[in-house]
Amino acid sequence: MKLLKSVYHFFPVQLLLLHFRKSQVLLLFWFVLTSTVNGNLLKIFGADALLLAPEYLGQVNMLSAFITGIALGVFVMSWNITTFILHSQRFRFLATTRKPFLKYCINNSLIPFSFIVFYFVKLIQFNLEVELMPPIVIAGLLGGIFTGFVLLCSISFAYFFGAEITINKTIAPLEVHHERLKERREPFDFEDHFGLRVSTYINSFLQIKKPRIVKHYRKEYIEVVFKRHHIAAIVSIALAFIFLVLVGFLLENPFFEMPAAASILIFFAVMCAGAAVIQPTEETGRGILSTHLHS
């Protein structure tokens, strides 16, 4: 029984259950992608081939796979950013850790990791049995997707690490006076109906750790930390929209015509990010963007 409780309160498990309880609309994107890759959805139109054999400038090669990998990274990061904005305040211990967004992404990787493994398996099967590609070409496709995915994620985390340095500088005065302020006011009880209990989580070094107790932290301090990270996340979404608009103006040039698989993934990323702006939170009843504008 104790083991089952430990598993249940494991951060990745809590996040997975939370998505099924609160983020069914966002899970729909994963369902559509998985069904398409598996050949259950729109197979008559060749939708599975678009994802499993991505074509760029009339060729299926490592470059087309690389672009698709970048688009896959955009979608996964959009999923992480959106759910981080919507749900991070349920796990307030994150505000007391270094690189909270990285830790969130690591613990939120059950769904993306499962999809990527499934995607790679189906890609190998499809190109071996249907496209009759030699193994070396398939290895190039896998390498291209993986390289593009890792590159995009690395750029995204570099942005958030830079944003965190700025955030830490701006909240330094709060940290300096934290003990004095804590003594003046009654500690805020974070074990409320909104927060969720976590007994262990995976840290940045992929080690299982126990979260820091946050009962003695003031509510204002926790809220400021999350608010700054949410603003950084919203800025990243805005930058992505601007980039997509610029690329849209250049689509007449064949060089900027992305593989259909990449277009699908980026479209889903945009739709997923839109949920972070319009979906109301349980604490305020307003969308995230509206909440920060009113703060």
Side-chain angles (χ1 to χ4, degrees):
M1 184 63 68
K2 186 176 181 180
L3 178 61
L4 290 177
K5 287 185 177 180
S6 299
V7 172
Y8 178 75
H9 293 296
F10 188 37
F11 192 19
V13 175
Q14 282 292 300
L15 282 172
L16 181 65
L17 296 175
L18 179 62
H19 294 325
F20 277 96
R21 290 200 304 265
K22 302 292 184 180
S23 305
Q24 295 92 341
V25 173
L26 298 179
L27 289 176
L28 183 62
F29 297 117
W30 291 108
F31 173 77
V32 171
L33 285 174
T34 302
S35 298
T36 303
V37 168
N38 198 41
N40 301 123
L41 186 65
L42 300 177
K43 183 177 179 62
I44 191 173
F45 298 105
D48 56 340
L50 296 178
L51 289 168
L52 299 174
E55 183 177 309
Y56 177 62
L57 297 178
Q59 294 183 343
V60 179
N61 51 28
M62 192 171 183
L63 178 59
S64 65
F66 176 75
I67 298 173
T68 302
I70 291 178
L72 179 60
V74 170
F75 173 66
V76 171
M77 291 307 299
S78 177
W79 155 264
N80 281 323
I81 290 171
T82 300
T83 56
F84 176 77
I85 291 175
L86 292 174
H87 302 313
S88 58
Q89 291 196 15
R90 297 176 183 273
F91 307 99
R92 293 177 168 118
F93 74 92
L94 285 173
T96 66
T97 65
R98 295 186 59 190
K99 300 180 177 62
F101 181 67
L102 174 61
K103 290 182 175 63
Y104 179 86
C105 291
I106 292 173
N107 288 273
N108 194 41
S109 61
L110 280 179
I111 293 176
F113 179 76
S114 300
F115 172 77
I116 291 173
V117 171
F118 177 74
Y119 180 39
F120 279 9
V121 170
K122 297 301 291 188
L123 185 145
I124 294 172
Q125 292 178 348
F126 180 84
N127 288 294
L128 275 177
E129 300 171 4
V130 179
E131 296 294 325
L132 303 178
M133 290 183 182
I136 187 66
V137 176
I138 297 176
L141 294 179
L142 294 175
I145 293 174
F146 181 78
T147 303
F149 177 80
V150 171
L151 177 63
L152 191 282
C153 291
S154 299
I155 293 173
S156 300
F157 286 128
Y159 162 78
F160 277 98
F161 292 164
E164 184 180 23
I165 293 174
T166 303
I167 291 170
N168 289 338
K169 289 180 180 179
T170 59
I171 66 174
L174 288 176
E175 293 179 322
V176 170
H177 300 290
H178 176 66
E179 292 297 325
R180 187 168 59 186
L181 290 169
K182 182 177 64 177
E183 292 173 359
R184 284 184 185 177
R185 297 191 180 185
E186 297 257 339
F188 183 81
D189 184 9
F190 285 106
E191 298 295 329
D192 57 14
H193 69 282
F194 185 73
L196 294 176
R197 180 183 172 188
V198 171
S199 60
T200 53
Y201 71 99
I202 304 174
N203 68 3
S204 303
F205 299 100
L206 304 182
Q207 300 171 326
I208 296 179
K209 296 288 186 180
K210 290 185 177 181
R212 183 179 298 179
I213 297 174
V214 298
K215 282 186 176 182
H216 60 284
Y217 282 83
R218 292 180 59 215
K219 178 182 178 181
E220 292 83 354
Y221 175 80
I222 298 292
E223 287 182 345
V224 166
V225 173
F226 278 129
K227 188 180 297 182
R228 301 290 169 82
H229 281 87
H230 290 172
I231 291 173
I234 291 172
V235 170
S236 71
I237 292 174
L239 291 174
F241 277 127
I242 293 173
F243 173 76
L244 290 175
V245 170
L246 292 176
V247 171
F249 283 113
L250 301 172
L251 283 180
E252 292 184 0
N253 188 328
F255 180 78
F256 291 96
E257 293 181 1
M258 294 182 292
S263 299
I264 293 170
L265 289 166
I266 291 177
F267 174 72
F268 281 5
V270 172
M271 296 294 291
C272 190
V277 178
I278 63 176
Q279 183 168 327
T281 64
E282 293 186 21
E283 287 188 313
T284 64
R286 297 192 299 262
I288 289 293
L289 183 60
S290 175
T291 298
H292 288 302
L293 290 176
H294 282 78
S295 300

